[in-house]
Amino acid sequence: MLCFVGDARNIKKDFNMLGFQIGSVVLFVSSVLLTRNARLKDKLDDSRYYKQLDSYEAASMSKIAATSLIDKLSSVTNEQKQNLLWFAAMTKFSSYISCHDGLKLQAYEIPQEKGNTKFVVVFSTGWSETIMKYAGVLKTLHSLGAAIYGFDLRGQGFSESTGWYYGRITHINSFKSYCEDLQFFVESVVRPASCSNGGNPIPIVFMGNSLGALIGYHSQKTYFGGNASHKLFDRLILSVPCFGMAAVDVKLGFIFELLYWLVPT
């Protein structure tokens, strides 16, 4: 037997409030799911665009990439244009390299003439960038005798992403993946190409900006388990390294992951 205690008007008011709250929750969840589906559709369209880029041959891609970047600049100076054209002409846009987990990254090499290499530079960009952005810097380094190597980070530039709902641009499952990519690249591509220079070893210098600087630092620190007798690089040049990223709380990372699932960006 049910017994209601209290004024009937208050009971009706409480039921109305409960209905309003339930309706609000349903509306919120519906709007989140609709937004999420729309974002996933956009991501599918983006992935199709990147797949088109993947279909180009290496020699064709250099011209297309450089031209595309110039066209997207809202205000391009003659110097910037010349630097990009130099980059397109001098760079060997290699076929994608297979990483430790099979992901394909777009690699770049700007060689010196045989016997003219004074040092090797391994260059890494900041977050959500392509190496082409640094054409002016690379041109200066090359004029100083550097043979330059680099690749676009996974999920960025012209490299593949890690998948999950047609590919999450700039997403990684673990920061360790960045370091493993760089270590693999140096061991399999850079070191064999620069193992000798008339019998003398060529110094390998890492140069990175922002996120790339952090990746280079941790790659050096964790190489061979941190054994000081095994160095990935002879020197490191770190520009505004974002060391704060290494201290992100695990709980905060979970919250970001949950937010991304709700509203993919």
Side-chain angles (χ1 to χ4, degrees):
M1 180 176 181
L2 296 177
C3 180
F4 292 96
V5 179
D7 188 271
R9 288 174 297 181
N10 291 333
I11 295 175
K12 182 178 180 180
K13 181 179 180 181
D14 291 340
F15 272 109
N16 289 338
M17 180 60 67
L18 180 61
F20 174 77
Q21 292 173 342
I22 294 175
S24 299
V25 170
V26 172
L27 181 62
F28 173 75
V29 172
S30 300
S31 62
V32 166
L33 292 177
L34 288 173
T35 303
R36 184 170 181 272
N37 289 335
R39 288 297 302 141
L40 291 178
K41 182 180 181 301
D42 291 341
K43 284 187 159 303
L44 175 58
D45 294 339
D46 290 343
S47 68
R48 287 171 177 165
Y49 169 73
Y50 283 104
K51 288 298 181 183
Q52 289 176 355
L53 290 176
D54 291 346
S55 67
Y56 291 119
E57 295 294 334
S60 299
M61 183 192 166
S62 66
K63 294 180 176 58
I64 292 172
T67 303
S68 176
L69 186 57
I70 293 172
D71 292 341
K72 290 179 180 178
L73 292 174
S74 58
S75 178
V76 57
T77 66
N78 184 62
E79 181 181 7
Q80 290 172 323
K81 182 176 181 179
Q82 293 305 315
N83 287 338
L84 287 167
L85 292 175
W86 173 87
F87 183 90
M90 297 293 293
T91 299
K92 290 184 178 179
F93 290 75
S94 67
S95 57
Y96 288 99
I97 63 171
S98 297
C99 302
H100 60 94
D101 59 357
L103 201 68
K104 295 179 179 179
L105 307 183
Q106 177 60 53
Y108 306 87
E109 177 189 358
I110 308 179
Q112 289 283 346
E113 293 185 7
K114 187 175 182 180
N116 290 345
T117 303
K118 296 179 181 179
F119 59 102
V120 172
V121 170
V122 178
F123 194 89
S124 185
T125 67
W127 181 79
S128 190
E129 294 180 333
T130 174
I131 283 182
M132 288 173 55
K133 175 182 176 181
Y134 296 86
V137 175
L138 302 182
K139 184 177 181 180
T140 300
L141 290 170
H142 190 265
S143 69
L144 297 175
I148 301 165
Y149 295 84
F151 61 91
D152 288 339
L153 300 176
R154 54 174 56 213
Q156 304 179 37
F158 297 101
S159 291
E160 287 185 344
S161 60
T162 55
W164 194 88
Y165 287 112
Y166 310 107
R168 290 196 280 188
I169 307 305
T170 75
H171 173 77
I172 56 170
N173 294 318
S174 171
F175 184 85
K176 184 180 178 182
S177 298
Y178 282 143
C179 299
E180 291 176 339
D181 287 343
L182 181 57
Q183 291 168 349
F184 179 87
F185 181 71
V186 173
E187 290 174 344
S188 63
V189 178
V190 180
R191 204 176 297 281
S194 58
C195 59
S196 65
N197 183 22
N200 299 317
I202 303 175
I204 299 178
V205 180
F206 173 83
M207 186 173 185
N209 179 62
S210 189
L211 174 60
L214 179 63
I215 294 169
Y217 172 80
H218 276 280
S219 297
Q220 178 85 325
K221 186 178 179 180
T222 59
Y223 190 58
F224 265 86
N227 191 331
S229 62
H230 293 82
K231 292 183 178 180
L232 188 64
F233 306 107
D234 297 296
R235 297 287 188 275
L236 291 92
I237 302 174
L238 308 179
S239 171
V240 291
C242 48
F243 288 134
M245 283 189 65
V248 174
D249 186 83
V250 175
K251 294 180 181 178
L252 186 60
F254 173 78
I255 293 175
F256 286 147
E257 187 74 14
L258 178 61
L259 288 174
Y260 183 88
W261 188 91
L262 291 173
V263 185
T265 57

